[in-house]
Amino acid sequence: MPNPKSRHCKARRDKRRANWKIQLTSVSICPECQEPKLPHRVCMSCGTYNGKKILEVVEKESV
Ligand SMILES: [Zn+2]
């Protein structure tokens, strides 16, 4: 079985995890309402995906 000869130092491990955190925060702009949204997900402010209405957006729940 191939095995690593020596373990990576803590600095190298932490540098890799720092880059992973930066990539997580990527956002795209909704083509319908120009609000920031997560890529490949339904827009949370207008409820559309790929130009189609998917969700009914509730502005405020009145109790
Ligand atoms: Zn939208």
Side-chain angles (χ1 to χ4, degrees):
M1 284 281 281
N3 251 335
K5 207 170 226 176
S6 59
R7 181 203 273 230
H8 287 170
C9 65
K10 288 172 193 167
R12 189 167 168 168
R13 176 203 67 194
D14 293 346
K15 267 185 259 176
R16 181 182 67 234
R17 290 181 188 173
N19 288 327
W20 173 80
K21 284 261 174 169
I22 288 163
Q23 285 168 2
L24 265 187
T25 57
S26 68
V27 287
S28 62
I29 302 297
C30 174
E32 300 293 320
C33 64
Q34 275 74 42
E35 288 285 318
K37 70 173 191 71
L38 289 171
H40 305 110
R41 278 153 187 85
V42 175
C43 174
M44 280 295 122
S45 53
C46 67
T48 57
Y49 187 78
N50 203 15
K52 291 174 200 158
K53 191 102 179 147
I54 309 288
L55 297 171
E56 285 300 322
V57 177
V58 179
E59 292 291 323
K60 248 182 199 175
E61 289 192 21
S62 53
V63 178

